[in-house]
Amino acid sequence: MMKAWWHWVIVILGSVVAVALLAAGALAYLVLRLDVRGEIERAVENATGRQLTIQGDVGVSYWPVLGLRATKTTLANVPGGRAPAFSTSDEIDIGVELQPLLNRQVVVRNLVLQRPHIALEVDAAGKPNWIFSPPVRPAPAPPATPTTTHAPTRSTVDVAQTSLREVRVVDGEVTYYDARHGTGWGIGAVNVTTAVNALNQPVRFVGDLKYNDRQLQLDMSIGNPGAMMRGQPTPLTIGVHSDLLIATFTGQAGAAGALNGQLLASGPSLRQFAAWVGTPIQGGVGLEHFDVNGLLATGDGEFNFSNAGFAVDALRGRGDFAISQRRGKPYISGRLQLFDFDMNPYLLGHAPPKPAAVNAPAPAPLPPESAPLAAQTIVPNAQIAVVAPPPRAVDVQGAPSAAPIDFSGLQAFNADLDLTTAAVLVQHTRFDAARLSVVINDGYLAATIQTLNLYGGTGHGRFEIDARQPDARINEQMSFDGIQALPFLTDAVNFTNIEGKAEITASLRTHGRTVSDLITHADGQTHVEVISGVLHGVDMGGVSRTINNALRGELIAPEARTPFQGFSGTFAIANGVLASDDLRFNTSDLRIPGIVVIDFPAKRLDLRVVPQSPRGNLFVIPFSARGPWGQLQYDSDVSGRALRAIQPRVREVQAASRAND
């Protein structure tokens, strides 16, 4: 019994081998009898409208398919194309059916392209070279009554009916060039497999390729390959997996490679990804983990996202925006809504913290375009103070930093954006919400703030940072109304001696490489008005009545306080020095005009006030407070000695401020 089993196995295998050998022999015999080279060239030209040239040998292929082999093939490019050929291949192996060969027909069922090179192009008018135009054949004349015997009619290929059980590309290369922008790319080591039932039926490609020396897995489905070849829209699904990008796209492809559909993408480093695709981000820190989920439309070198949610580092947001490349760097435009975030890691030059989850949940869809972003409901992060704040730019209780300021982030990309933000933390200062327009152009930033909510009040204005040279220049015009002075001034400049509701307007300009430089070179003017507040650290009414006893520590001490109804002053600013001769400080008992010089570089105060009783029932004495911050010396100034010392300095600062306008 065992012997019989082996006997039938040998018989069956022998029969299979015999049939294969007979088929191969018959194929070799028929190839010698047929003009196979001409048949293939004519079939391709009829299908594509392009000339196919087989420069090498045409013969029998036994591996990787049983059929025909053609070497050194070239398919012509469009007239005027940049590349000399649309495609070239070292070798094409064509698996054919044997039965049609007996009738002198070539029916292809398998196709293997060995080391092909495909040159995709879009010309200056936006027309791609992968749209094929089969030649238009004139209508055949009515058949005449045959009088002689004709040679068999050559077969042609109906593109819609083309059927391939397997198509493989082995070690291929694809290049792309867009003449409209003078840009392009190339991919190599392309190994993909597909099957084609008909060019008007869905086709799926699975394989891998190499782009910029990184391996990438590809899974792509085309709804109608014939329509894509004709430049018509067709459904398209793409899945990409690499160490820098995981992405899926579901939508459709249009003319010139345009895409329109839903994109979901993420990666471990936006900075590395940008460098990988040819738009490196120079300078700055962060820009690592990223996610994006939204509608994508491509065309004319732009990636347009709408109704999109995104995340970069710990920053979350959503909006409608476009990304393209201009002058060798990324360019972003559109409208964005940002959730709570912390700017301090970027100001410190440290890597921002990683997000809690690698793949954040997709944000809720945006409302229609007509709905304003500011009116939408958002869910901010639980907290934004994730790192220790950097030193304040201006700290009245500490020395300014002499370390160079890193503005390189403004060189990383260009932008034109309308922003709506939730809470933002900058150094120690927290902005609750803002709406602003931002333009960034090669190191120059201009921001117009329409609304800014902070410390119980509002603000608006404009500021500019020109960091195109090492000596950066800053201009700003800002106005604040109804803000709580104590927490605002504490967070902003570490000044804790005054509370109340404040109105502040400021017009400032400065330049420098360090915070110390910016303070020293500050020019402009500012107006401050505080109502219904308290001045901490001094009882001004008590000092004005008992100046000789003021230094005992009872009237000038941390626990001393002066309630007031109003405080105001207009300050000229020149070279980091503030000066005013119209101070107004009003309490329930006194009207206190004054004159002051505040020297930020020297950390010195020179103040002279003249308390006045509106009812004339109090005896008050003019007095001065002068000296380094924290070491002020109080003295009476009935003789006007302090006035004569301070007043020329005030006029000097005012003149310098006007001269710098």
Side-chain angles (χ1 to χ4, degrees):
M1 188 67 179
M2 182 66 69
K3 180 179 179 181
W5 182 83
W6 278 108
H7 171 75
W8 285 111
V9 169
I10 293 172
V11 171
I12 292 171
L13 292 177
S15 300
V16 170
V17 172
V19 170
L21 291 175
L22 289 173
L27 179 63
Y29 173 76
L30 290 173
V31 166
L32 295 176
R33 299 291 302 274
L34 293 175
D35 180 15
V36 176
R37 182 193 305 267
E39 284 287 346
I40 295 173
E41 291 177 342
R42 279 186 290 274
V44 172
E45 183 173 357
N46 288 336
T48 66
R50 309 275 182 88
Q51 181 179 359
L52 176 71
T53 303
I54 303 176
Q55 298 173 316
D57 297 331
V58 177
V60 177
S61 167
Y62 301 100
W63 178 264
V65 295
L66 179 63
L68 309 174
R69 170 178 292 130
T71 60
K72 297 182 179 179
T73 64
T74 301
L75 182 62
N77 200 356
V78 294
R82 183 170 183 263
F86 174 77
S87 70
T88 60
S89 295
D90 286 356
E91 180 179 313
I92 299 179
D93 296 292
I94 306 168
V96 300
E97 290 189 355
L98 296 179
Q99 182 64 35
L101 280 176
L102 299 175
N103 298 320
R104 304 176 65 83
Q105 292 180 327
V106 179
V107 178
V108 178
R109 284 294 178 260
N110 302 82
L111 188 64
V112 179
L113 283 76
Q114 304 271 8
R115 295 171 296 282
H117 176 92
I118 301 173
L120 304 178
E121 299 177 11
V122 177
D123 65 18
K127 184 178 180 181
N129 72 336
W130 58 86
I131 296 178
F132 297 104
S133 301
V136 178
R137 304 289 184 184
T145 302
T147 58
T148 58
T149 301
H150 296 280
T153 303
R154 298 290 186 183
S155 63
T156 61
V157 176
D158 183 349
V159 174
Q161 300 301 319
T162 298
S163 178
L164 298 172
R165 296 191 186 95
E166 181 189 41
V167 177
R168 278 192 288 146
V169 175
V170 179
D171 196 19
E173 181 179 288
V174 179
T175 60
Y176 174 83
Y177 179 77
D178 190 336
R180 296 169 298 179
H181 309 287
T183 58
W185 46 257
I187 57 177
V190 179
N191 297 281
V192 296
T193 302
T194 186
V196 182
N197 293 322
L199 291 183
N200 58 2
Q201 298 296 320
V203 175
R204 181 184 180 191
F205 296 84
V206 178
D208 58 82
L209 54 89
K210 184 174 287 187
Y211 176 70
N212 279 352
D213 296 325
R214 290 184 181 271
Q215 202 71 21
L216 183 148
Q217 304 295 320
L218 176 68
D219 188 340
M220 179 173 67
S221 295
I222 302 174
N224 189 327
M228 177 176 284
M229 293 170 62
R230 297 188 296 272
Q232 299 171 347
T234 184
L236 178 68
T237 301
I238 304 175
V240 173
H241 192 289
S242 73
D243 59 341
L244 291 181
L245 177 68
I246 299 174
T248 58
F249 172 84
T250 304
Q252 70 174 13
L259 303 178
N260 197 323
Q262 186 76 26
L263 175 71
L264 178 62
S266 64
S269 173
L270 180 60
R271 190 176 292 274
Q272 292 184 44
F273 175 76
W276 181 44
V277 298
T279 55
I281 299 173
Q282 304 292 341
V285 297
L287 304 181
E288 296 300 328
H289 172 82
F290 67 94
D291 287 275
V292 63
N293 179 7
L295 298 176
L296 169 67
T298 69
D300 199 25
E302 283 192 351
F303 295 82
N304 292 277
F305 292 88
S306 58
N307 205 28
F310 62 89
V312 179
D313 299 327
L315 172 65
R316 298 288 186 270
R318 57 183 180 179
D320 305 317
F321 57 96
I323 302 175
S324 60
Q325 182 180 5
R326 296 187 183 181
R327 298 192 298 273
K329 65 179 64 175
Y331 174 78
I332 306 172
S333 61
R335 61 170 194 162
L336 302 179
Q337 183 180 26
L338 306 179
F339 301 160
D340 296 2
F341 69 99
D342 183 2
M343 281 291 296
N344 288 327
Y346 304 94
L347 298 176
L348 286 166
H350 296 166
K354 295 182 179 180
V358 173
N359 290 304
L366 284 172
E369 178 71 22
S370 58
L373 284 174
Q376 298 167 20
T377 300
I378 63 173
V379 180
N381 299 334
Q383 62 179 19
I384 61 174
V386 292
V387 297
R392 296 170 176 84
V394 178
D395 189 337
V396 298
Q397 299 187 31
S401 173
I405 302 174
D406 184 7
F407 286 112
S408 61
L410 296 181
Q411 298 281 357
F413 60 93
N414 292 330
D416 186 353
L417 296 168
D418 291 327
L419 300 179
T420 300
T421 77
V424 181
L425 190 64
V426 180
Q427 296 181 340
H428 294 259
T429 305
R430 178 187 175 100
F431 304 102
D432 297 320
R435 188 176 182 88
L436 65 158
S437 300
V438 176
V439 173
I440 301 175
N441 185 14
D442 293 337
Y444 170 81
L445 179 147
T448 300
I449 302 172
Q450 289 87 19
T451 59
L452 178 64
N453 298 330
L454 71 168
Y455 298 94
T458 60
H460 67 276
R462 176 181 173 85
F463 68 89
E464 302 174 3
I465 301 175
D466 187 349
R468 290 173 290 188
Q469 300 295 329
D471 189 43
R473 296 185 175 274
I474 300 176
N475 292 320
E476 70 171 55
Q477 295 82 38
M478 295 295 301
S479 295
F480 303 97
D481 184 25
I483 62 176
Q484 295 295 329
L486 180 60
F488 173 67
L489 294 175
T490 299
D491 289 345
V493 298
N494 203 17
F495 182 71
T496 60
N497 290 62
I498 193 168
E499 62 178 288
K501 284 195 172 182
E503 295 181 7
I504 303 173
T505 61
S507 176
L508 299 174
R509 56 196 172 273
T510 186
H511 63 92
R513 302 188 181 192
T514 68
V515 171
S516 179
D517 291 342
L518 296 179
I519 293 174
T520 300
H521 297 143
D523 294 298
Q525 63 179 13
T526 183
H527 178 79
V528 180
E529 188 166 344
V530 184
I531 61 173
S532 301
V534 176
L535 180 66
H536 295 276
V538 60
D539 179 356
M540 293 191 68
V543 172
S544 66
R545 291 189 296 270
T546 60
I547 187 68
N548 291 329
N549 299 323
L551 297 181
R552 292 182 302 176
E554 299 173 359
L555 304 176
I556 303 170
E559 62 274 10
R561 59 200 305 269
T562 304
F564 61 85
Q565 280 73 52
F567 165 78
S568 66
T570 300
F571 296 84
I573 307 172
N575 301 318
V577 180
L578 283 70
S580 174
D581 57 6
D582 69 346
L583 286 184
R584 296 290 186 270
F585 192 89
N586 300 325
T587 71
S588 58
D589 299 323
L590 298 171
R591 300 294 181 264
I592 310 176
I595 185 171
V596 67
V597 174
I598 306 172
D599 191 330
F600 275 94
K603 290 189 173 295
R604 178 181 174 86
L605 173 70
D606 288 280
L607 169 70
R608 195 254 190 184
V609 295
V610 185
Q612 300 170 356
S613 172
R615 293 182 293 273
N617 58 350
L618 292 176
F619 177 71
V620 293
I621 302 173
F623 71 92
S624 64
R626 305 182 66 190
W629 297 347
Q631 301 177 29
L632 293 178
Q633 299 294 318
Y634 291 84
D635 199 356
S636 63
D637 194 41
V638 176
S639 66
R641 182 178 59 181
L643 176 63
R644 290 190 295 272
I646 299 172
Q647 198 170 51
R649 188 75 193 282
V650 171
R651 292 172 179 169
E652 177 186 344
V653 173
Q654 291 173 335
S657 177
R658 288 192 296 268
N660 292 328
D661 282 342

